[in-house]
Amino acid sequence: MSDEFRPGPLDQRDVEAREDVLVFTTEPLTEDIEVTGRVKAVLFAATDGPSTDWVARLCDVDEHGVSRNVTDGIVRVRATPAEPAEHVVDLWSTSIAFRAGHRIRVQVTSSNFPRWDRNLNTGEPEESASTARVARQQVFHDPARPSRIVLPVVPARQEA
């Protein structure tokens, strides 16, 4: 990975201000929430191209509004242009306590270079692709196509 991609939790506010990044944020939490295990994003989405990537990132937003990455993932898909499909993005595993007063945030986009290799959205083989095209993307979040983040929440312990 290139040196320009620093490891660890980083402020995500510049990324979240981009027009090509969807951002979903909870209200401030009223109590701590522990998330431990495999995280995934289920996206119902469509693209106008034969190939695209779907990227999701889980973030912790502190009481000052600073958003820091927790975990993320990507899935490369072959698509039927303009046809909505379900895609599961594996965000790997984590263990974190989102503190009361913080917010849980999810970013969705279709690129994250140089973190992951670029997708030129043409369907050409990645190792020899030379033509790039801008993809028009849609993410759905309605009752029939419930895009969502799946968090393995650990139940709060009851004090004796």
Side-chain angles (χ1 to χ4, degrees):
M1 197 172 314
S2 75
D3 291 339
E4 62 195 275
F5 189 81
R6 297 184 353 240
L10 303 171
D11 187 342
Q12 296 294 304
R13 289 176 292 183
D14 287 345
V15 171
E16 293 165 355
R18 293 174 50 131
E19 290 184 6
D20 61 343
V21 178
L22 294 176
V23 177
F24 302 92
T25 309
T26 67
E27 292 297 320
L29 301 173
T30 58
E31 59 186 41
D32 292 355
I33 295 178
E34 180 185 341
V35 172
T36 297
R38 204 70 170 203
V39 177
K40 65 181 178 177
V42 179
L43 302 176
F44 287 85
T47 182
D48 68 351
S51 172
T52 199
D53 293 343
W54 294 108
V55 179
R57 176 176 290 141
L58 177 66
C59 298
D60 178 22
V61 183
D62 69 20
E63 56 279 337
H64 305 290
V66 178
S67 176
R68 290 183 180 86
N69 53 304
V70 174
T71 188
D72 58 3
I74 186 171
V75 64
R76 179 156 292 179
V77 300
R78 298 286 179 201
T80 301
E83 184 175 300
E86 181 178 3
H87 307 288
V88 177
V89 183
D90 183 355
L91 279 69
W92 297 71
S93 295
T94 193
S95 186
I96 184 172
F98 292 96
R99 298 294 181 199
H102 286 217
R103 298 170 186 249
I104 298 172
R105 179 168 289 163
V106 177
Q107 302 170 6
V108 177
T109 190
S110 66
S111 175
N112 190 351
F113 182 81
R115 173 119 168 93
W116 287 292
D117 288 342
R118 63 193 178 137
N119 184 333
L120 300 181
N121 302 308
T122 63
E124 296 177 75
E126 289 85 9
E127 63 277 357
S128 61
S130 60
T131 304
R133 67 179 295 282
V134 174
R136 304 284 303 167
Q137 315 290 38
Q138 288 182 285
V139 175
F140 302 93
H141 49 91
D142 56 48
R145 298 167 294 196
S147 293
R148 62 199 179 275
I149 189 83
V150 179
L151 300 177
V153 175
V154 176
R157 295 183 202 157
Q158 299 297 323
E159 298 296 323

mmCIF file of all heavy atoms in Angstrom, residues 14 21 41 44 57 68 74 82 89 96 113 132 152:
data_model
loop_
_atom_site.group_PDB
_atom_site.id
_atom_site.type_symbol
_atom_site.label_atom_id
_atom_site.label_comp_id
_atom_site.label_asym_id
_atom_site.label_seq_id
_atom_site.Cartn_x
_atom_site.Cartn_y
_atom_site.Cartn_z
ATOM 1 N N ASP A 14 -13.103 15.209 5.571
ATOM 2 C CA ASP A 14 -12.860 15.617 4.183
ATOM 3 C C ASP A 14 -13.468 14.619 3.200
ATOM 4 O O ASP A 14 -14.059 14.998 2.196
ATOM 5 C CB ASP A 14 -11.367 15.782 3.906
ATOM 6 C CG ASP A 14 -10.773 17.021 4.559
ATOM 7 O OD1 ASP A 14 -11.547 17.914 4.983
ATOM 8 O OD2 ASP A 14 -9.535 17.098 4.647
ATOM 9 N N VAL A 21 -19.730 10.470 -1.997
ATOM 10 C CA VAL A 21 -19.766 9.640 -0.795
ATOM 11 C C VAL A 21 -21.103 9.855 -0.092
ATOM 12 O O VAL A 21 -21.436 10.978 0.288
ATOM 13 C CB VAL A 21 -18.608 9.975 0.163
ATOM 14 C CG1 VAL A 21 -18.682 9.137 1.433
ATOM 15 C CG2 VAL A 21 -17.260 9.764 -0.533
ATOM 16 N N ALA A 41 -21.977 -4.657 5.236
ATOM 17 C CA ALA A 41 -22.963 -3.746 4.667
ATOM 18 C C ALA A 41 -23.703 -4.521 3.587
ATOM 19 O O ALA A 41 -23.084 -5.203 2.771
ATOM 20 C CB ALA A 41 -22.293 -2.522 4.075
ATOM 21 N N PHE A 44 -28.355 -2.555 -1.690
ATOM 22 C CA PHE A 44 -29.163 -2.746 -2.875
ATOM 23 C C PHE A 44 -28.804 -1.573 -3.775
ATOM 24 O O PHE A 44 -29.050 -0.418 -3.430
ATOM 25 C CB PHE A 44 -30.655 -2.762 -2.538
ATOM 26 C CG PHE A 44 -31.062 -4.024 -1.841
ATOM 27 C CD1 PHE A 44 -30.922 -4.152 -0.473
ATOM 28 C CD2 PHE A 44 -31.561 -5.099 -2.567
ATOM 29 C CE1 PHE A 44 -31.289 -5.325 0.183
ATOM 30 C CE2 PHE A 44 -31.929 -6.276 -1.924
ATOM 31 C CZ PHE A 44 -31.788 -6.389 -0.548
ATOM 32 N N ARG A 57 -17.721 1.978 4.787
ATOM 33 C CA ARG A 57 -16.827 2.236 5.918
ATOM 34 C C ARG A 57 -17.670 2.562 7.142
ATOM 35 O O ARG A 57 -18.598 3.366 7.071
ATOM 36 C CB ARG A 57 -15.902 3.401 5.602
ATOM 37 C CG ARG A 57 -15.009 3.792 6.784
ATOM 38 C CD ARG A 57 -14.029 4.894 6.439
ATOM 39 N NE ARG A 57 -13.026 4.354 5.528
ATOM 40 C CZ ARG A 57 -12.529 5.017 4.495
ATOM 41 N NH1 ARG A 57 -12.937 6.228 4.217
ATOM 42 N NH2 ARG A 57 -11.619 4.459 3.735
ATOM 43 N N ARG A 68 -14.062 9.204 12.754
ATOM 44 C CA ARG A 68 -12.852 8.382 12.582
ATOM 45 C C ARG A 68 -13.248 6.997 12.081
ATOM 46 O O ARG A 68 -14.188 6.397 12.580
ATOM 47 C CB ARG A 68 -12.090 8.267 13.900
ATOM 48 C CG ARG A 68 -11.447 9.572 14.316
ATOM 49 C CD ARG A 68 -10.626 9.428 15.595
ATOM 50 N NE ARG A 68 -10.017 10.689 15.962
ATOM 51 C CZ ARG A 68 -10.615 11.636 16.679
ATOM 52 N NH1 ARG A 68 -11.842 11.461 17.121
ATOM 53 N NH2 ARG A 68 -9.983 12.758 16.961
ATOM 54 N N ILE A 74 -14.678 -3.651 0.637
ATOM 55 C CA ILE A 74 -14.991 -3.390 -0.773
ATOM 56 C C ILE A 74 -15.446 -4.681 -1.422
ATOM 57 O O ILE A 74 -15.002 -5.773 -1.031
ATOM 58 C CB ILE A 74 -13.753 -2.820 -1.501
ATOM 59 C CG1 ILE A 74 -14.087 -2.400 -2.929
ATOM 60 C CG2 ILE A 74 -12.601 -3.803 -1.458
ATOM 61 C CD1 ILE A 74 -12.956 -1.631 -3.621
ATOM 62 N N ALA A 82 -28.003 -0.781 -14.978
ATOM 63 C CA ALA A 82 -29.275 -0.203 -14.517
ATOM 64 C C ALA A 82 -30.176 -1.195 -13.779
ATOM 65 O O ALA A 82 -31.297 -0.855 -13.429
ATOM 66 C CB ALA A 82 -30.032 0.446 -15.671
ATOM 67 N N VAL A 89 -20.980 -6.268 1.341
ATOM 68 C CA VAL A 89 -19.618 -5.780 1.513
ATOM 69 C C VAL A 89 -19.124 -6.243 2.877
ATOM 70 O O VAL A 89 -19.716 -5.898 3.902
ATOM 71 C CB VAL A 89 -19.550 -4.236 1.425
ATOM 72 C CG1 VAL A 89 -18.098 -3.767 1.538
ATOM 73 C CG2 VAL A 89 -20.200 -3.730 0.146
ATOM 74 N N ILE A 96 -15.271 -2.672 19.286
ATOM 75 C CA ILE A 96 -15.241 -1.262 19.659
ATOM 76 C C ILE A 96 -16.450 -0.951 20.529
ATOM 77 O O ILE A 96 -17.519 -1.536 20.345
ATOM 78 C CB ILE A 96 -15.225 -0.339 18.413
ATOM 79 C CG1 ILE A 96 -15.098 1.136 18.823
ATOM 80 C CG2 ILE A 96 -16.428 -0.592 17.524
ATOM 81 C CD1 ILE A 96 -14.875 2.089 17.662
ATOM 82 N N PHE A 113 -9.352 4.623 -3.993
ATOM 83 C CA PHE A 113 -7.973 4.504 -4.436
ATOM 84 C C PHE A 113 -7.143 5.537 -3.676
ATOM 85 O O PHE A 113 -7.604 6.648 -3.484
ATOM 86 C CB PHE A 113 -7.895 4.765 -5.950
ATOM 87 C CG PHE A 113 -6.522 4.614 -6.513
ATOM 88 C CD1 PHE A 113 -6.022 3.364 -6.816
ATOM 89 C CD2 PHE A 113 -5.719 5.730 -6.725
ATOM 90 C CE1 PHE A 113 -4.751 3.220 -7.320
ATOM 91 C CE2 PHE A 113 -4.447 5.599 -7.224
ATOM 92 C CZ PHE A 113 -3.960 4.338 -7.532
ATOM 93 N N ALA A 132 -11.174 4.272 -19.195
ATOM 94 C CA ALA A 132 -11.954 4.553 -17.985
ATOM 95 C C ALA A 132 -13.283 5.195 -18.379
ATOM 96 O O ALA A 132 -13.377 5.871 -19.398
ATOM 97 C CB ALA A 132 -11.181 5.495 -17.076
ATOM 98 N N PRO A 152 -22.633 -6.626 14.797
ATOM 99 C CA PRO A 152 -22.755 -7.638 15.842
ATOM 100 C C PRO A 152 -22.696 -6.969 17.221
ATOM 101 O O PRO A 152 -21.625 -6.830 17.812
ATOM 102 C CB PRO A 152 -21.565 -8.568 15.586
ATOM 103 C CG PRO A 152 -20.541 -7.663 14.947
ATOM 104 C CD PRO A 152 -21.316 -6.646 14.149
#
